[in-house]
Amino acid sequence: MADPFEVRMRFSSQLEHLNASTTSAQKAAQYALKYKDMDEDLHSCILEQLEKTNMNTRANIMYFIEHLLEMASKERHNDYVRMMQRDIIRVVDAVCPENGSGAANVKVVRKVLQGLQGKLILLEQTVIEIEGCLKERDTSAHDFSLSSPLNDKEQPGRPSASASATDPDVAGGPQQQPSQRNGANIKPTKRQIEQRIEEDRERHKRMRESMWVVPPNPIDQARKFFAETSDLGEDDHILGHEEIAHFRAGLKASACKHYKSRGGSRREERPRPRPRPTNGVARHI
């Protein structure tokens, strides 16, 4: 039996080094399922990494959670699914906190939640409730990012930020800097921004490639075709009549000259020649 401490340390290392590739997420999910007898420890490890890592790693862990729950449901190991359903609010709060430090991860959380709802892992009511919280956080984060466009520069008719922070008579006393509100540093580093751009580019590339993937099972192909086909409407009937009229016009234009000269009537069949007498002996032509 493997050492629980060693398993936890290796799993934490895999979560810290997750990237935008599907291989890294599947590898970590397979490791978690391999040691599913320690599912509670590994689940607490996921929550711990979400609360102490940076913005990009949190997004990668969120995508990893979708892979883990999908593989766990297929292997009938519902303990991971049950624990994640219980702590999904805590996961969302860690990936995109209320202080605005994870505003870039709001779309990531929405996409993962919609995927889990489509796989029947999360209830629709749960996703709707979380979506209401995400709308408030997305709006508050957007307003917060635009709250101080000039930073420490002075505006005409307004005191400077340094003066308002030191003078108690200005703006009601010292105020907290925007980057330190709620104890969080909102502005990411340049390296984190470049890493996020590369990871988002890789994910979009994979998403475009997956759009052309055809399921190997014919039944799955039929379901995919049915899901992507829109409902039959009045425009479809009009388009069908136009295509039939165009087909008939092309058929009439491509008819032979004898058909055209007789005004579209059918050609008369030529009479067959009479057999020549052979004096009772059959003649083969």
Side-chain angles (χ1 to χ4, degrees), residues 34 50 76 144 154-155 170 185 192 208 211 234 250:
K34 180 180 178 181
L50 282 173
R76 304 296 182 181
F144 174 70
E154 296 183 0
Q155 292 183 349
V170 179
N185 188 9
Q192 292 178 354
R208 290 193 299 268
M211 293 173 59
E234 184 179 357

Side-chain angles (χ1 to χ4, degrees), residues 270-283:
R270 296 181 181 180
R272 295 181 179 180
R274 295 180 180 180
R276 297 174 60 182
T278 58
N279 296 329
V281 180
R283 181 181 179 184

Side-chain angles (χ1 to χ4, degrees), residues 25-66:
Q26 292 179 350
K27 183 178 178 181
Q30 292 174 358
Y31 186 86
L33 292 175
K34 180 180 178 181
Y35 298 99
K36 56 186 177 183
D37 54 335
M38 307 177 189
D39 49 6
E40 294 184 1
D41 293 338
L42 298 182
H43 177 76
S44 63
C45 186
I46 295 174
L47 300 179
E48 181 181 324
Q49 291 295 324
L50 282 173
E51 293 174 352
K52 73 176 186 179
T53 53
N54 56 30
M55 177 185 63
N56 297 336
T57 308
R58 293 174 185 174
N60 294 331
I61 294 177
M62 194 68 189
Y63 284 112
F64 153 77
I65 290 175
E66 183 178 5

Side-chain angles (χ1 to χ4, degrees), residues 46-105:
I46 295 174
L47 300 179
E48 181 181 324
Q49 291 295 324
L50 282 173
E51 293 174 352
K52 73 176 186 179
T53 53
N54 56 30
M55 177 185 63
N56 297 336
T57 308
R58 293 174 185 174
N60 294 331
I61 294 177
M62 194 68 189
Y63 284 112
F64 153 77
I65 290 175
E66 183 178 5
H67 287 280
L68 174 62
L69 298 183
E70 182 180 3
M71 296 175 63
S73 60
K74 289 181 180 179
E75 296 187 8
R76 304 296 182 181
H77 186 71
N78 297 324
D79 290 339
Y80 280 117
V81 178
R82 176 181 52 81
M83 290 185 293
M84 193 57 63
Q85 290 174 346
R86 180 194 63 194
D87 299 331
I88 188 62
I89 302 297
R90 183 178 175 183
V91 171
V92 173
D93 290 339
V95 177
C96 48
E98 297 180 359
N99 54 20
S101 60
N105 291 336

